[in-house]
Amino acid sequence: MLRWLIGGGREPQGLAETGEKLLELNGHTQKITAIITFPSLESCEEKNQLILTASADRTVIVWDSDTGRQVQRISCFQSTVKCLTVLQRLDVWLSGGNDLCVWNRKLDLLCKTSHLSDTGISALVEIPKNCVVAAVGKELIIFRLVAPTEGSLEWDILEIKHLLDHQDNILSLINVNDLSFVTGSHIGELIIWDALDWTMQAYERHFWDPSPQLDTQQEIKLCQKSNDISIHHFTCDEENVFAAVGRGLYVYNLHMKRVIACQKTAHDSSVLHIARLSNRQLISCSEDGSVRIWELREKQQLAAEPVPTGFFNMWGFGRVNKQASQPVKKQQENATSCSLELIGDLIGHSSSVEMFLYFEDHGLVTCSADHLIILWKNGERESGLRSLRLFQKLEENGDLYLAV
């Protein structure tokens, strides 16, 4: 079951603004593994945005985003489709499982690869020159799409190169910009790649080192568990790559090619999803049920007093999180030029927060294993909007001038 939050082609309404459910799409029999939108071409007069969903039931369903109607179900897959991506310029979409398939808007299968791996494609992104990069276990495979020409009327997909630099399974893969992409592995390897010639630009694997921040042997042992160094998710801006590594958050500067800030114990359990906000801020959610807001600050801007990060901090009282606010040691100061400071703690979920969506003008929507979807609002902004609406109403009724 999929609850659709934003109606395609319409102004952001519904859940993002009022909490109202717009559509409920029922069709899959097992968990949904991937979701993506397929917009119409700009040159097309009829604007019809589609939603594509893949599931562990080995199907992909195409939905009409305006009505929620099921357009078509594709059930010819031999394995679970774990990722979907759209190549808007070519007006095709790709599905990744044990093989890689290319489809058009009419849902015709244009071409496909041979069986790649039993583990399947875990992530897929578009790169220049009609290419895509697929994460398959420890490998990255570069594929090139060949569109029909006068000499050949058929599509084709070619394996161009295998990149074998990771030592463990690749969990995360995103584009940084038009010229580079980044990958993260189960054992905490971060690699920046050139998107044009597919060479390695930078390599980082020091996230696991616990010595600057942890004091006891028990904590060191805990930090070295493999799930505590896995890179679960990335986000980025023009200067930095933000990585969710185990329970921590790391900021990797693309120009300096090093980590410039970190919070090794940002949460009590693995960080599952992160997103960058404006004003050098970051949101993270975790298996421990917490959602936190961080700010990237220069070292000289740090306040002398620790930031309270306890469970009840949003109400103005609570314990100080010793791990998050303890003084940064000299050894770490030499290594990092910035710091991630906790500025907000959103308390509401009782189980793992799987992910969230951020709408700049309407707030934050979080979804959790506790079966709750919570809409969070910016209190300061909402207060300003209420005041503005009040003055507008007074002006419309003439009460404002009467009061003057």
Side-chain angles (χ1 to χ4, degrees):
M1 179 176 64
L2 174 69
R3 289 186 174 88
W4 187 234
L5 307 183
I6 298 297
R10 292 176 286 187
E11 290 296 317
Q13 300 273 337
L15 193 145
E17 188 174 84
T18 65
E20 175 193 357
K21 181 173 66 178
L22 293 179
L23 299 170
E24 188 169 305
L25 314 183
N26 294 288
H28 289 295
T29 58
Q30 296 187 42
K31 71 175 183 178
I32 293 172
T33 53
I35 179 171
I36 197 167
T37 57
F38 193 1
S40 302
L41 290 173
E42 291 184 4
S43 58
C44 183
E45 293 183 5
E46 184 181 351
K47 299 300 180 184
N48 180 29
Q49 180 167 267
L50 302 174
I51 308 166
L52 309 177
T53 58
S55 167
D57 61 14
R58 298 187 179 184
T59 66
V60 169
I61 297 180
V62 183
W63 314 83
D64 185 295
S65 65
D66 288 319
T67 65
R69 181 179 61 87
Q70 187 177 133
V71 178
Q72 190 167 335
R73 174 192 293 267
I74 305 172
S75 54
C76 59
F77 300 100
Q78 301 301 310
S79 64
T80 298
V81 174
K82 297 179 180 178
C83 51
L84 300 166
T85 192
V86 169
L87 305 189
Q88 188 70 21
R89 185 172 55 83
L90 298 175
D91 199 33
V92 298
W93 59 277
L94 283 69
S95 61
N98 288 355
D99 50 20
L100 182 61
C101 302
V102 182
W103 309 80
N104 64 14
R105 187 175 292 274
K106 296 179 181 178
L107 310 182
D108 299 318
L109 178 61
L110 302 176
C111 57
K112 63 183 290 189
T113 65
S114 57
H115 181 91
L116 297 172
S117 166
D118 288 337
T119 57
I121 299 172
S122 59
L124 188 67
V125 296
E126 180 183 9
I127 55 176
K129 302 177 182 177
N130 285 357
C131 291
V132 294
V133 54
V136 184
K138 301 178 186 179
E139 292 185 54
L140 290 173
I141 306 178
I142 308 296
F143 295 96
R144 174 169 287 130
L145 270 70
V146 181
T149 60
E150 292 182 2
S152 173
L153 299 178
E154 295 185 353
W155 286 78
D156 199 3
I157 184 164
L158 308 174
E159 280 190 32
I160 303 299
K161 191 170 184 179
H162 287 240
L163 306 177
L164 307 173
D165 298 271
H166 276 289
Q167 299 175 34
D168 208 333
N169 289 341
I170 298 165
L171 302 181
S172 306
L173 164 65
I174 65 163
N175 282 314
V176 175
N177 48 47
D178 293 337
L179 301 176
S180 58
F181 61 93
V182 59
T183 54
S185 79
H186 183 63
I187 57 172
E189 302 164 294
L190 180 150
I191 301 181
I192 309 289
W193 304 88
D194 189 298
L196 298 176
D197 61 16
W198 316 313
T199 57
M200 190 189 304
Q201 294 182 328
Y203 178 93
E204 177 68 48
R205 196 192 159 187
H206 296 297
F207 303 123
W208 61 269
D209 182 11
S211 54
Q213 199 171 11
L214 300 176
D215 298 324
T216 68
Q217 290 298 318
Q218 183 180 2
E219 287 177 313
I220 291 174
K221 199 171 183 182
L222 178 66
C223 191
Q224 288 178 330
K225 288 182 180 179
S226 60
N227 64 346
D228 235 10
I229 59 173
S230 298
I231 300 179
H232 296 288
H233 199 238
F234 285 122
T235 188
C236 59
D237 59 19
E238 297 79 8
E239 300 177 358
N240 304 302
V241 172
F242 301 85
V245 185
R247 296 178 294 159
L249 299 171
Y250 291 77
V251 184
Y252 183 88
N253 187 273
L254 295 167
H255 305 296
M256 299 181 187
K257 294 187 176 180
R258 67 179 180 88
V259 174
I260 61 168
C262 68
Q263 270 291 353
K264 295 191 177 182
T265 49
H267 292 267
D268 294 330
S269 298
S270 294
V271 180
L272 300 180
H273 192 79
I274 56 175
R276 183 181 59 86
L277 309 183
S278 57
N279 301 322
R280 294 166 69 90
Q281 293 178 358
L282 186 74
I283 299 181
S284 61
C285 67
S286 166
E287 287 179 344
D288 63 16
S290 62
V291 180
R292 290 177 174 172
I293 305 175
W294 309 84
E295 186 172 82
L296 183 63
R297 297 177 182 172
E298 301 292 337
K299 276 289 175 69
Q300 60 267 27
Q301 295 176 349
L302 297 183
E305 296 183 5
V307 180
T309 62
F311 186 85
F312 295 105
N313 178 53
M314 65 181 297
W315 304 112
F317 58 90
R319 63 179 176 82
V320 172
N321 186 319
K322 188 176 180 182
Q323 291 174 327
S325 61
Q326 66 181 14
V328 183
K329 297 185 177 181
K330 289 184 180 180
Q331 183 178 354
Q332 193 177 6
E333 287 178 352
N334 294 333
T336 58
S337 56
C338 300
S339 180
L340 279 172
E341 292 296 302
L342 184 67
I343 61 171
D345 214 345
L346 308 183
I347 310 302
H349 288 291
S350 60
S351 189
S352 173
V353 180
E354 304 297 319
M355 70 167 295
F356 54 81
L357 294 171
Y358 175 67
F359 305 96
E360 186 172 356
D361 295 329
H362 299 284
L364 177 74
V365 179
T366 56
C367 60
S368 166
D370 61 12
H371 305 293
L372 290 179
I373 295 176
I374 298 180
L375 171 62
W376 307 86
K377 293 286 190 177
N378 183 319
E380 185 176 338
R381 184 178 184 278
E382 291 300 309
S383 178
L385 289 174
R386 282 195 296 271
S387 298
L388 180 62
R389 285 194 291 267
L390 176 61
F391 278 110
Q392 288 174 341
K393 189 162 180 130
L394 288 172
E395 187 175 11
E396 288 171 4
N397 296 337
D399 296 340
L400 185 62
Y401 301 107
L402 186 62
V404 174

